[in-house]
Each structure stands twice: as C-alpha cells, then as structure tokens.
Amino acid sequence: APGVGHARPPLQGVAHPATAMEPAPQPPPVPYQKAALTPAQVLAIEAGLRQAMECDKLYLESDLTLAQLAQALAVSPHQLSQFLSQHLGLSFYDYVNGLRIDAVKATLARPQSARRSLLEIALECGFGSKSTFNAVFKKSTGLSPTAYRASLAGAGPPDC
C-alpha cells in the first residue's frame, strides 16, 4: 500500500497541533531562589531547632505556630519554613507532628504507660485533638494508635 511506513509531508500553510503558536512551557519556579539561606544561617537554624525541639521540647505545646518557633530561633518565619522545606523536606506541621508521634511512640513503649488512655498521652505529647492525633498517627505508622499499642503488647521487651 502506498505510504505505509512513510510519514506524510506536512501540508503547506497548515499548522500541526504540536507546532501551533503556543508559548513554550516555562519550568516551574524554584522555591526560595531569590532568598537563599547562607551556610551560616542553615547551621544556626539547625542548632536552634535542636535546642528548641530536643532540649526545650517546644513541640509539646499544642498551639505552637511557625511564627512562634521562628521567634524562639530568632529567624523569620519565611527562613524557618525555607529551612524545613529545603533541608528536611518537610512542612512545619509535618515536622512538628513527626516529633509528637515519636514522643507518643516512646511513651507507649514504657510499661508504666499501659494503663494510661491514648488521648491523655496524645494531649501530653502536643496534639490538640483526638481526631488530628488519630489521623497523623495512622498516616505516620500505618496503624491506628490502638492497633499500634496492641502490637507493642505482643512484641515483648525491645532488644537493646
């Protein structure tokens, strides 16, 4: 059959869909490109976060905001958000809730916590509501808090 296996030449004066006069797609903007953090700022924020979260445990405050944490670190909220995004790959809420989940899991692993309610532990670890706690915990661990606690009870003591 004529033309089988051969491309047809384009018709003169007819624009093909791929060559229509559309603007070329622009690459997405690079976040924070205009206000890059200096290496010294990165180190300062990193050290400040370590102090504020590991030592002072600010994440235990259920109403902690990005602005409050930034103020504690003596940086702007924009700089803190930029650091979390670029260096940790997390949003403020994912970062803080991750620390809270770790605190809940550590509390649940202690035998003396076996009789405490999950809600009491969640509130103590910085969550402001049961629904947020349940949703964040399941997203983080793949288990409901109740199922996670049950899995600890059957696991025996941790290997150290």
Side-chain angles (χ1 to χ4, degrees):
V4 173
H6 299 288
R8 295 172 90 189
L11 298 174
Q12 296 298 325
V14 177
H16 290 307
T19 61
M21 299 302 290
E22 296 176 17
Q26 297 296 315
V30 177
Y32 310 110
Q33 185 175 20
K34 293 182 180 177
L37 295 172
T38 67
Q41 288 172 313
V42 169
L43 291 174
I45 293 171
E46 189 174 53
L49 270 179
R50 188 173 297 112
Q51 175 66 39
M53 298 309 218
E54 292 176 18
C55 300
D56 301 339
K57 301 192 183 306
L58 294 184
Y59 62 88
L60 296 177
E61 298 175 20
S62 64
D63 59 350
L64 180 67
T65 65
L66 176 69
Q68 290 169 332
L69 182 56
Q71 184 176 8
L73 302 181
V75 299
S76 74
H78 178 82
Q79 289 171 318
L80 177 57
S81 180
Q82 178 177 358
F83 174 85
L84 294 171
S85 177
Q86 289 182 329
H87 297 275
L88 302 182
L90 297 169
S91 71
F92 169 74
Y93 289 104
D94 288 341
Y95 173 69
V96 172
N97 284 335
L99 293 171
R100 291 171 177 163
I101 291 296
D102 289 345
V104 168
K105 288 167 39 177
T107 302
L108 289 174
R110 292 194 288 270
Q112 62 269 35
S113 296
R115 293 200 171 122
R116 296 178 61 205
S117 78
L118 288 167
L119 179 58
E120 177 187 358
I121 293 168
L123 295 174
E124 177 183 286
C125 292
F127 285 97
S129 74
K130 183 178 180 179
S131 61
T132 299
F133 166 63
N134 286 332
V136 170
F137 194 93
K138 181 144 189 173
K139 181 180 176 189
S140 174
T141 65
L143 296 171
S144 69
T146 303
Y148 183 86
R149 176 181 252 175
S151 75
L152 291 177
D159 295 328
C160 295

